[in-house]
Amino acid sequence: MSDKEQYLVNTEPFYQPQHREVALYEAAYRRRLPVMVKGPTGCGKSRFIEYMAWRLGKPLITVACNEDMTASDLVGRYLLEANGTRWLDGPLTTAARIGAICYLDEIVEARQDTIVVIHPLTDHRRMLPLDKKGELLPAHADFQLVISYNPGYQSLMKDLKPSTKQRFTAFDFDYPGAALEADILTRETGLDGAMAERLVSIGAVARRLKGHGLDEGISTRLLVYAAALIQDAVDPRDACHMALVSPVTDDADIRATLEHAIAATFA
Amino acid sequence: MSDKEQYLVNTEPFYQPQHREVALYEAAYRRRLPVMVKGPTGCGKSRFIEYMAWRLGKPLITVACNEDMTASDLVGRYLLEANGTRWLDGPLTTAARIGAICYLDEIVEARQDTIVVIHPLTDHRRMLPLDKKGELLPAHADFQLVISYNPGYQSLMKDLKPSTKQRFTAFDFDYPGAALEADILTRETGLDGAMAERLVSIGAVARRLKGHGLDEGISTRLLVYAAALIQDAVDPRDACHMALVSPVTDDADIRATLEHAIAATFA
Amino acid sequence: MSDKEQYLVNTEPFYQPQHREVALYEAAYRRRLPVMVKGPTGCGKSRFIEYMAWRLGKPLITVACNEDMTASDLVGRYLLEANGTRWLDGPLTTAARIGAICYLDEIVEARQDTIVVIHPLTDHRRMLPLDKKGELLPAHADFQLVISYNPGYQSLMKDLKPSTKQRFTAFDFDYPGAALEADILTRETGLDGAMAERLVSIGAVARRLKGHGLDEGISTRLLVYAAALIQDAVDPRDACHMALVSPVTDDADIRATLEHAIAATFA
Amino acid sequence: MSDKEQYLVNTEPFYQPQHREVALYEAAYRRRLPVMVKGPTGCGKSRFIEYMAWRLGKPLITVACNEDMTASDLVGRYLLEANGTRWLDGPLTTAARIGAICYLDEIVEARQDTIVVIHPLTDHRRMLPLDKKGELLPAHADFQLVISYNPGYQSLMKDLKPSTKQRFTAFDFDYPGAALEADILTRETGLDGAMAERLVSIGAVARRLKGHGLDEGISTRLLVYAAALIQDAVDPRDACHMALVSPVTDDADIRATLEHAIAATFA
Amino acid sequence: MSDKEQYLVNTEPFYQPQHREVALYEAAYRRRLPVMVKGPTGCGKSRFIEYMAWRLGKPLITVACNEDMTASDLVGRYLLEANGTRWLDGPLTTAARIGAICYLDEIVEARQDTIVVIHPLTDHRRMLPLDKKGELLPAHADFQLVISYNPGYQSLMKDLKPSTKQRFTAFDFDYPGAALEADILTRETGLDGAMAERLVSIGAVARRLKGHGLDEGISTRLLVYAAALIQDAVDPRDACHMALVSPVTDDADIRATLEHAIAATFA
Amino acid sequence: MSDKEQYLVNTEPFYQPQHREVALYEAAYRRRLPVMVKGPTGCGKSRFIEYMAWRLGKPLITVACNEDMTASDLVGRYLLEANGTRWLDGPLTTAARIGAICYLDEIVEARQDTIVVIHPLTDHRRMLPLDKKGELLPAHADFQLVISYNPGYQSLMKDLKPSTKQRFTAFDFDYPGAALEADILTRETGLDGAMAERLVSIGAVARRLKGHGLDEGISTRLLVYAAALIQDAVDPRDACHMALVSPVTDDADIRATLEHAIAATFA
């Protein structure tokens, strides 16, 4: 299986558009403009990119960024072998070579100093200098760079530098609207619509607590967890406690507020 | 012995259920939802997971997290050998390959930056990108990720990020109730029930001191130590001093309070 | 292809002079004086150097500086091979050997401690000591060192040391004037002149917000992105939101100001 | 000589019991409970463990902990050899394999993050996961873990975590009583009893200064140094200055107090 | 070419003595006393040492110090080769072996902890212990150690330790007097004397601003840059802006002051 | 030449005893007690140890401590060679094997965490565990450990831990008395006695400034430098400026005080 085939998204991911984001992304891709997707945890950013890669028929290479990630982890390094060293492309280099969409997930987790290696790929040069190999790699015509970014984490310590931000077009994401979110729960787990709406209403309570004791609201992903457990015959109150309360907070007041909403909803 | 067999739990671990946690865990496992077990030191979190692995007949791979742990320690690395380098899977990769329950114990000890490598395994992708090997590993159908977490340690410096928390269902654990805890002491050490109850009552005194000079209450494990020493004919006051007082505090006032309770109990 | 040919700029880059910078750069190059180009993100510094390299017919080696960059990344290192180690020149050494213009982009990102390796190349010695190789490399007669520098980032932590600054002549850059900038948008994307002027007027609004909520104004590059999207039939308001608002700020007030200007311009 | 024999304590170390610690240690060892020995510098903690290893006829492996110590230093690592890499067990692994008492001296010097590798050896599992080797090592039936700990150093930065403390039974040590300490000086150096008592009385003066200008009192070890010098015909005042004053403080007032006590004692 | 020949200064460097420094340096060299040259950036410290090496006919080995520099970078290290490892002397070791003047430029950039490796070479021992090689290298009779030091950088964080300072004799340098500096400009660039004096007068203005907005005055080196550009027919105001204003400050007030002086001088 | 012979001090170092330190050191060595020599920079600590090694006829291995020094630098490491890895003893291990005096110069420069490796060599065990080699090395009967220590540097950050201090006997050093110091100048440089006394009187002025603007007084070593230059016909005022003023301070007031004393002395 070639590198390129390995990274193709073969089955259509389940994705429910929220606005005009599909057409706008296609326009950005046509010009190969770098794209930044912004929004809270678990609102569907990664799935949107996966869906677009499938729709465009382009390979997708995802990198979960972290603070230990070095430029070599992105670009590549020499490996020692029986007869000397062998160069191994990193995921960014592979993407630039084969013409993939390279998706750097949670970019703010990476040190901003590492991130500068993407700069020459995101301006008119569209080149990746492999300094350690002494090679100047021009990006494949299909290559595009995409990053995700959670503005809720934005802080003085962990924000993108202006010289990085100004290389991207951006898409703002948020949790889906209530009707759409209930529809997602039903389609992903088989839960009936009335139950799904009840779960979505609990999510709405939690999201109003953001900034008042919760760092983030409850994500669509956690609502899907609860729906799956209920669909498997777990008591809705147990399912909600396991999936919507216990993971997100240990604060007694916030827990009481959430448990109260759950009890009222599933009385 | 195959990898898989090596990690099977062959004998039923002694585990006394506290609530409905066994059935709820089975529901979570049915959907392969990631699980977080929360609770204080020594209350039986690790043993619960070991028991569930035995009950479900799945291999269990445990990793004691620490701050030096790198993504490579979890995922794998190249080793240099006589005829070149050889890839060695890390414990997370092994678990994903063979379909084990991967248990990351005391996850908050790991740097949050390392933890992000588990993200692609905990969402709809259920994949582990082995960037250094250029391989995209889809998780085995039996694979499940479990983490343990002590909320008592929670601090601004060492807390899980929302984008990690929101990938798990959670179980809240606490010390067992008095009758159950006495029963555990008896079954683990052979100590008679009356003595066991007396030890449990001393544990209750210490747990009320949590936050008033003690960072944590006395764990069930330390009560088991004391019970074992008493069962071996050590004077109960010596046993309590060695197992319940000296390890947990050097504060003269707290020590006096504990010694007083011990003297009163074993007068 | 020789090293030297690989680094030649073969096609004339699009560059629109702002003042007398072309003649002054030629004078500096004649004396091989080290050059510093200063100015905000995305105002055309890198393109100017690329243009001059093309004009002078000299190879250009660009290094995107970052904090992880070590002296070895610039100078070179030993690689392990089948029959021992082999020395690999770093980009600075290659440039000094073949007589290239070595362009250290965003120099303040590098640790000042790494930067001192350029000192012997920037005074009367024009030599690069390769300590690890035990070689004293005299620079090729055509070699010149160029650095870029964004004074907006200047801080106590990240500023060049006087002993570095005092080795360079400097060119001040800024965003191009309105007419020139509109011309650039038209020439790069094919957008008609009236639309281009409207985009430039929005850029002017954003640049006035610098220091009042925006770290940097909107760069010419982002205006080019917007122009490209409009030229591809994207609604101008969507294009402006994607390229001029969403990437640069999450502040609700600043966003409102920018969206207001966009709505007024494209009403 | 086998690994096991190399670590046996062949001659009885000189150890003078202070309380019931010998019998209590034997009880803890019978159950293989992990042991923590607590007390000030130079009060005989290490010698007690050496004595117990001799008495029980078990090998003793001592590790002087330090902040640079990594998990690999304890557990083992791969070494590169002519025909590939070879695994070398670390001291903790060796102890677990051969059934030794593993003594981690001055444990608080190690980073708490390193220390967690001992956790699986100190609960019901008694196993050491060698992640880098892909091996799960069950501890030998004779293996026991012992740590030493100086509560005087206890600080917010360098204290054991509750989840570590709660894995140990503990023994409190202090300087020996006056008569016993004089006896130790005589038996170790041959100094006559009257002189030994005089040295012990100077030690008592210094210990009262702890917390009033001295970080720690004068240890039995330093008194032994002074006794040895006096026994070798050094003037007692010179011996006390060299062994009891100059090493422990440069504070003029504390020095004067100590010198005054010395002059009064050896007038 | 032998190591020694490679480091000889073959042509007399242009150096204009300021005081009795040549004779005093010769006296220090006669006794092989370690020498520290102190003074602001670009005042001619490095050139003085190069001149003295030429005058004394001794090889000169220069090291540009930086914070990443390790003791191994100075002393040497093992390199891996086809048939095992090979020791490579560092520049300090080479200098001690062949009897060169070893010049550590900008010593305060190195970590003080690295600097201690020079201690055994700077006292009566005149030896360099190569710990990693197990060799004690006595310095060649001609070896001398020289360091440069910019007191303007002196801070609590980056100052030499007394135990290092007290191993050196020192020479104080400053910018040359006006007549001498004009003479230097003329001799280095061919600029006529009247123009040279005008440049020197602008330098005097800038040096009075030191501590009042400028970290350092304008160095002789920058004046030479301006002179070279003027001599190449660049407009004197452009030359001064490029060489004397833009590189040293972005402060609008300071720039105005300097531009004012330039306009007045070249009106 | 054997390891042992290489480290013997073959010619008597010039050393002028100040008090009873020679006899007291001999007594400490007879018992092999670890020794700490304390005192300001350049007062003769290192030379005293060199003299004692010569007098006792024992090899001397000196290590200049620094913060980068790791336990491996002291103890040893594996080197990669053509046919596998080879162990290379570090200086501490060599000293323990051959029975040398191991002198750790400026011990406070080392991280306290590195220093703990000396602990097992400094108590009744007199053993060095080579963990990485799996060897327990008993020290040679002639082995002794000596450390030097400058109390003037003592700070919260860089002080020895009590558990280290309490392993040593200590010797207090200070600058020699005036007559002795003048005698040293004469004997080391040949300077006549009257001139030597004048230099010593300037040293006395500087030492009174310690803590009033000078971190340390002028060392005997710097006085020897000045004496050597005067003896070589350098003007005494130039010699004093070069050796006694310029190296130790850039403070204008302190310089004036010192220059005043010099002018008065050599008027």
Side-chain angles (χ1 to χ4, degrees), chain E residues 68-83:
Chain E
D68 291 333
M69 200 174 69
T70 64
S72 293
D73 289 329
L74 285 175
V75 168
R77 56 166 53 82
Y78 282 98
L79 288 181
L80 186 62
E81 298 213 324
N83 44 2

Side-chain angles (χ1 to χ4, degrees), chain D residues 255-265:
Chain D
R255 286 198 159 199
T257 306
L258 291 172
E259 297 288 8
H260 185 81
I262 291 163
T265 306

Side-chain angles (χ1 to χ4, degrees), chain E residues 20 38 85 124 166-167 170, chain F residues 50 80 217 225 238 242 246:
Chain E
R20 291 188 299 280
K38 304 170 92 167
T85 48
H124 69 285
Q166 299 227 352
R167 292 164 184 279
Chain F
E50 202 181 347
L80 186 62
Y225 284 1
D238 282 343
M242 268 172 73
S246 182

